[in-house]
Amino acid sequence: MLQFIRQHPRAFIYALLVHLVLIGLLMFNLDWKLKPTAGTPQTAPVQAVVIDATKVDAEIEKLQAAEKRKEEEAAKRLQEIEEKTRQAEAAREREQKQLEELKQKQVQEAQRLKEQEIQRKQEEEKAAEIKRKQQELEKKQAEEKRLAEVEAKRKMEAEAKRKAEEEAKQKAEAEAKRKAEAEAKRKAEAEAKRKAEEARRKAEQEAQRKAAEQALQDQLAAERAALDAARNQQVINQYGAAIRAKVVRNWIQPPGSQSGLSCLVEVRLIPGGDVVSVRIVQSSGDAAFDRSVESAVYRAAPLPLPPDPALFESFRALTFLFKP
């Protein structure tokens, strides 16, 4: 009984109140006055009110059931609140996780862009270093060629000077012999004249030989220059054709334009192949066709250029016939 009271204090209080109310009602309705009777007085009968314990128990059970329903409803509401709280917490955790994933993706994207920028700068530095080394090599080769030409000229002048000094020495000796004796002078003069003539002839032959060698070297240099010019022109023609082909690939024929149209285009470039400006030198007669050609040139940029920087001047202002 005490355990039931501790577990259900409200139900016990309600039951106690019900019993008190019932007892009060019974006492209020009980008639305590004695009625007189005829004849011999008789002892007034005791009127008792019988309390139906079954109804009382039923009322108590009803109150207990109501209390139990209230407790169950409270427990149910508490579970619903806990479930909503758990769902809200789970949603918050999902949002937090999505936010962290988004931040991580942003960090990864920023790192990827940074690595791409570093790689691009490294490639540019590498290309610049290759270009610098190539220029240094060309400069070194040109300097070696100039020094070789200077050395050859110096040797030629030294040889000529030596021969002139030798001839002067021979003349001095001949003159000394001439003064020593008259007969010897004549012979010496004749001998000196012969030797001088022979030396002159040899000098002329040597000069002719050197002139022939110089002419041969000049001819070889001219042939090399012509060969280099032909090769350069071949490269220029090759890359000019490549530029025209790339522009044609990027050309979009405007609606309604006639076939067989052509125009003369002037394209100004900068090192690297980027297009600075496009100008129609000779129009096709169709404004839409001309504009489509200009757009094709800009879309085709950067245009292909030969790797030799010395040939870029041939492409700085390039004019070609566009005829798809």
Side-chain angles (χ1 to χ4, degrees):
M1 184 65 180
L2 292 175
Q3 185 178 2
F4 176 79
I5 293 172
R6 285 194 296 269
Q7 294 178 352
H8 308 283
R10 292 185 179 179
F12 176 74
I13 293 172
Y14 292 155
L16 181 60
L17 291 174
V18 169
H19 280 78
L20 292 174
V21 171
L22 291 175
I23 293 172
L25 290 174
L26 291 173
M27 292 179 67
F28 181 77
N29 293 326
L30 182 64
D31 189 3
W32 298 95
K33 296 181 180 180
L34 298 177
K35 295 179 180 180
T37 58
T40 59
Q42 297 179 356
T43 304
V46 178
Q47 296 181 358
V49 178
V50 179
I51 298 173
D52 191 349
T54 303
K55 292 182 178 180
V56 174
D57 292 338
E59 188 66 24
I60 292 173
E61 291 178 356
K62 185 178 180 181
L63 292 174
Q64 291 177 351
E67 180 65 20
K68 185 176 181 180
R69 284 195 303 273
K70 289 182 179 179
E71 291 178 354
E72 290 176 352
E73 289 176 358
K76 185 177 181 181
R77 286 196 298 273
L78 181 60
Q79 289 178 354
E80 291 176 354
I81 292 172
E82 291 176 350
E83 179 63 22
K84 290 182 179 180
T85 302
R86 185 186 63 78
Q87 292 177 358
E89 182 66 22
R92 187 186 65 79
E93 291 178 355
R94 287 195 300 271
E95 291 177 355
Q96 184 67 23
K97 184 177 180 181
Q98 291 176 357
L99 182 60
E100 291 177 355
E101 291 177 352
L102 179 60
K103 288 182 178 179
Q104 186 176 6
K105 288 181 180 179
Q106 291 176 348
V107 171
Q108 291 175 354
E109 181 66 16
Q111 182 65 24
R112 185 182 66 81
L113 293 175
K114 183 177 180 181
E115 292 176 353
Q116 287 182 352
E117 182 65 18
I118 293 173
Q119 184 178 2
R120 183 186 65 80
K121 289 183 178 179
Q122 290 177 350
E123 291 176 352
E124 290 179 352
E125 291 174 355
K126 184 177 181 181
E129 181 66 17
I130 293 174
K131 183 177 180 180
R132 184 185 63 79
K133 289 183 178 179
Q134 184 176 3
Q135 292 176 348
E136 290 179 353
L137 178 61
E138 292 175 353
K139 184 177 180 181
K140 182 179 179 181
Q141 291 175 348
E143 183 65 18
E144 290 176 351
K145 182 179 179 181
R146 187 187 67 81
L147 292 176
E149 292 174 352
V150 170
E151 181 66 17
K153 183 177 180 180
R154 186 190 65 78
K155 289 181 177 180
M156 185 183 299
E157 291 175 351
E159 182 67 17
K161 183 179 180 180
R162 184 188 64 79
K163 288 183 178 180
E165 291 175 352
E166 183 178 355
E167 290 176 358
K169 183 180 179 180
Q170 291 176 354
K171 288 180 179 180
E173 290 177 352
E175 184 67 19
K177 289 180 181 180
R178 186 186 64 81
K179 290 179 179 180
E181 48 186 287
E183 187 64 24
K185 178 182 177 182
R186 184 183 62 80
K187 292 181 179 179
E189 289 178 351
E191 184 66 17
K193 185 177 180 181
R194 184 187 65 79
K195 290 181 178 180
E197 183 66 22
E198 185 177 357
R200 184 187 62 78
R201 187 171 59 253
K202 288 182 179 180
E204 289 178 354
Q205 291 176 354
E206 183 67 17
Q208 291 176 358
R209 184 185 64 80
K210 290 180 181 282
E213 289 181 354
Q214 185 63 37
L216 180 60
Q217 291 178 358
D218 293 341
Q219 183 180 357
L220 291 176
E223 290 177 355
R224 284 197 296 269
L227 181 60
D228 292 340
R231 289 176 179 174
N232 291 340
Q233 187 61 42
Q234 183 179 2
V235 173
I236 292 171
N237 296 337
Q238 178 184 354
Y239 278 86
I243 290 174
R244 287 194 295 273
K246 190 173 183 181
V247 173
V248 170
R249 288 197 301 272
N250 285 271
W251 177 65
I252 300 175
Q253 184 175 3
S257 66
Q258 300 178 359
S259 60
L261 296 177
S262 64
C263 63
L264 194 62
V265 187
E266 182 187 68
V267 182
R268 291 189 174 274
L269 304 176
I270 60 175
D274 288 329
V275 177
V276 176
S277 65
V278 181
R279 185 171 68 90
I280 302 300
V281 178
Q282 182 177 352
S283 175
S284 64
D286 188 340
F289 178 84
D290 295 345
R291 288 194 299 271
S292 69
V293 175
E294 292 178 354
S295 300
V297 174
Y298 283 113
R299 279 195 299 271
L303 298 177
L305 292 177
D308 188 359
L311 299 180
F312 173 71
E313 290 301 325
S314 299
F315 293 88
R316 186 180 296 276
L318 178 66
T319 303
F320 64 90
L321 179 65
F322 181 85
K323 187 176 182 180

